[in-house]
Amino acid sequence: MQEPEITPDLVAAHGLSPAEHARLLAIVGRPPSLTELGIFSAMWNEHCSYKSSRKWLRTLPTTGPQVIRGPGENAGVVDIGDGLAVVFKMESHNHPSYIEPYQGAATGVGGILRDVFTMGARPVAAMNALSFGAPGHPRTAHLVRGVVAGIGGYGNAFGVPTVGGEVRFHTAYDGNCLVNAFAAGIARTDAIFYSAASGVGMPVVYLGARTGRDGVGGATMASTGFGEDTEAKRPTVQVGDPFTGRRLLEACLELMAAGAVIAIQDMGAAGLTCSAVEMGDRGGLGVRLNLDAVPVRETGMTAYELMLSESQERMLMVLRPEGEAAARAIFARWDLDFAIVGETIAEDRFVVMQGNAVKADLPLRALAGEAPEYDRPWVVPAPPPPLGAIPPIAALAALRALIASPDHACKAWVWEQYDCGVGADTLRGPGLGAGIVRVDGSRKALAFTADVTPRYVAADPLEGGRQAVAEAWRNLVAAGATPLAATDNLNFGNPERPEIMGQLVLAIRGIGEACRALDFPIVSGNVSLYNETAGRAILPTPTIGGVGLIADHAQAIGARPQAGDLAVMIGAGGGHLGQSALLWEAFGRAEGAPPPVDLAAERRHGAFLLAHRDKARAATDLACGGLALAAFEMAAAAGIGVVLASADIPTLFGEDQGRYLVACTPGAAAALLAAGQAAGVPVAVVGRFGGDRVAFGPEAAPLAELVGLWRTGFARALGLPA
């Protein structure tokens, strides 16, 4: 086939600017072939190179005594003691999920699971953080149905429990939903596998499913915004097969145990291109590929298509030659393809052959190490309108406004489509705070959470970044877990716009400040930019996925109070209503500054709760909706009423940070108050649990009525079948 002329239009269609094309020409020393242009496009796009964010990501804290491996690998690795590690990461699949919600979400789950097990870890938990447009938007219900079905369809069939997450709605996501997928696994600390190739002349092996044309150009598509051509991008969405994914997991873990693996890399974004280049670059080696050996499921595939396909359930591995026969046997037993498609070479070259013709011959390290890095102009975003007077509203009317909204209604419609208990190690599933999973064969347990409040970040990116970390940290503490480390998924609009770049820069700064103050390093993550349609950006949404350790699962703090328990608040409430859920849900207003985060108080109050966990029957952190929503959700989970002493709107619905609501026996409450006084930590009894009513001061309503509104609010708001 004749090579097309590399025109400026073709370069632009591959997401490269004229300056980037000039840089490419200077590196290669000649006009590139179409395949070479595609390879550069894949490696230099925003999704793979982080060219707009690398400068700022370097400022995040990524190390600590518990960290075995931080960012730069497929997933982060954190020591949990006794020769075990937790391996975890969060990634986005936003654009594919908007174009084709079922497969976009399903392959997001599949990809993050592969990131975990390619490190040698068996996946034990999954979460997701989902952001959709306004409930009444004509596309929202379709996206919700498809995304939830895709997550459940892949995760359930693969056999990993979904133990937590969040779902939100806002008109800013009308044209660009967010699907952030998290996975965690357990590995032995002496059996972690990395992606750096080593040894010259080592076979490069293709593992897993066959390659098709699905997903060609997916990474480049994910590095642009949406316009009128959204439907034309449908072929760039991958198609997943969870049953093949599960077989690939078992085959890879068996092969790793056999000692045959030198390096292994998931074929994710940019497929064969990115996996081969990254393995070679991390090992300081070149790679030669023979595309004639690649297993395919479609005829006549070109080198360009083979190099850029993002077909799912595939791995690339550098193999010890003496292990070839055993490796072939393992993959044959699991009915998966195994093919030697290349070798490592000493030269700094990335050579791609097909039909005895050279389709690409490029300096490998330039592909990975010389991608552009931009210090884009940025400005501090304009502040929101100041907080105006809030109209009078009765406390129970305010609560009803929150619990009837899809953001704060019960999400059982979502999580009941997920298998939350597969594997028999789930101690706490979705809807009760951080998810908790037992570490098989030990007394340990891990807690997982995903958190961010985009309204806060939009109003003040620095404070919003701090708050996202602090809330994740608090959610882990409220489960009785010692926070270990975090992963971030930074979802923003077009970084070429200074106000959007300012959101990103300041949010990263806030995240870094909070992580340092709380000894909560970022060990993995993902940046997703250009989340916008026709120039309208999403709310800045830097999702924080947190992981904590419970040394003995018997020490986990419960989520359900019992009748007669006192409601005790740790932390001081000042009635902060700026950017609050009450202001948004009851009055449709996003005004004022978000609540400030006192990181020293966060640390002090969290340490206090962990030190006195034996006094807490149940606990939750106070965040959106404040004391009123937290108390109601605890009561609803237990099926008992709650009485709070105050009917004051700021006291009930203020979203001041650094606070927990704890359910204690009267005796334990007295001990907790005394301990708080001794430690200088604010502790106060604010109510009690019991009965069949929810009461705020003199106002009361039947618990059953409010729970009915809460349980049906999600489906009703979206017009979904209950």
Side-chain angles (χ1 to χ4, degrees), residues 205-211 244 247-248 251-252 255 267 293-297 312-317 327-341:
V205 181
Y206 174 114
L207 309 168
R210 297 188 172 196
T211 296
T244 299
R247 298 201 316 274
L248 183 61
C252 285
L255 184 58
M267 282 196 231
V294 172
V296 296
R297 64 171 188 264
Q312 297 292 284
E313 288 77 51
R314 302 181 302 159
M315 295 282 197
L316 200 65
M317 178 183 70
R328 282 187 183 277
I330 289 169
F331 274 76
R333 186 164 62 255
W334 287 102
D335 193 24
L336 292 166
D337 277 284
F338 176 102
I340 295 176
V341 297

Side-chain angles (χ1 to χ4, degrees), residues 601-698:
E602 289 282 1
R603 183 164 185 149
R604 187 167 59 251
H605 298 173
F608 177 82
L609 177 56
L610 288 177
H612 298 279
R613 73 180 84 197
D614 59 318
K615 301 175 182 65
R617 189 193 310 278
T620 185
D621 84 303
L622 300 192
C624 283
L627 174 62
L629 185 59
F632 168 77
E633 289 177 342
M634 288 181 78
I640 57 175
V642 63
V643 176
L644 297 182
S646 178
D648 178 64
I649 291 296
T651 298
L652 289 172
F653 295 94
E655 297 182 3
D656 306 79
Q657 300 294 291
R659 300 186 298 162
Y660 300 85
L661 183 62
V662 179
C664 307
T665 66
L672 199 60
L673 263 65
Q677 187 173 16
V681 171
V683 180
V685 175
V686 295
R688 60 178 174 80
F689 292 96
D692 59 1
R693 301 173 73 76
V694 174
F696 299 151

Side-chain angles (χ1 to χ4, degrees), residues 363-375:
L364 186 144
R365 281 188 279 286
L367 284 169
E370 294 186 30
E373 179 178 329
Y374 296 124
D375 185 2

Side-chain angles (χ1 to χ4, degrees), residues 371-601:
E373 179 178 329
Y374 296 124
D375 185 2
R376 295 195 184 278
W378 62 276
V379 297
V380 176
L387 179 61
I390 299 174
I393 186 171
L396 283 174
L399 179 66
R400 286 187 176 96
L402 263 63
I403 63 178
S405 72
D407 271 22
H408 304 290
C410 176
K411 305 299 191 302
W413 188 94
V414 174
W415 74 63
E416 285 174 356
Q417 299 185 53
Y418 306 151
D419 189 337
C420 305
V422 63
D425 282 321
T426 302
L427 299 179
R428 183 196 292 175
L432 295 170
I436 303 176
V437 173
R438 179 174 47 222
V439 177
D440 191 52
S442 78
R443 297 289 300 174
K444 301 177 192 292
L446 293 166
F448 304 100
T449 187
D451 297 284
V452 66
T453 306
R455 280 195 315 277
Y456 292 177
V457 188
D460 184 337
L462 182 69
E463 206 66 72
R466 287 192 191 111
Q467 191 275 338
V469 173
E471 185 176 351
W473 195 84
R474 280 198 309 274
N475 267 319
L476 299 173
V477 169
T482 300
L484 287 177
T487 180
D488 59 4
N489 203 149
L490 308 178
N491 307 274
F492 291 82
N494 183 351
E496 297 168 48
R497 294 163 53 192
E499 67 275 16
I500 300 296
M501 195 65 208
Q503 291 176 343
L504 177 64
V505 170
L506 292 170
I508 291 174
R509 186 176 295 170
I511 290 167
E513 288 179 5
C515 288
R516 277 185 287 273
L518 299 172
D519 287 337
F520 198 43
I522 299 287
V523 298
S524 60
N526 171 242
V527 179
S528 175
L529 304 180
Y530 296 95
N531 287 291
E532 57 181 52
T533 297
R536 185 190 185 199
I538 61 163
L539 292 180
T541 312
T543 308
I544 302 297
V547 177
L549 175 66
I550 304 171
D552 185 332
H553 59 74
Q555 296 178 336
I557 300 175
R560 294 182 174 92
Q562 292 184 14
D565 284 348
L566 296 183
V568 178
M569 187 171 74
I570 297 172
H576 189 100
L577 291 173
Q579 299 299 326
S580 64
L582 171 67
L583 196 66
W584 178 251
E585 301 296 356
F587 305 108
R589 291 160 51 184
E591 297 172 359
V597 180
D598 181 337
L599 292 168

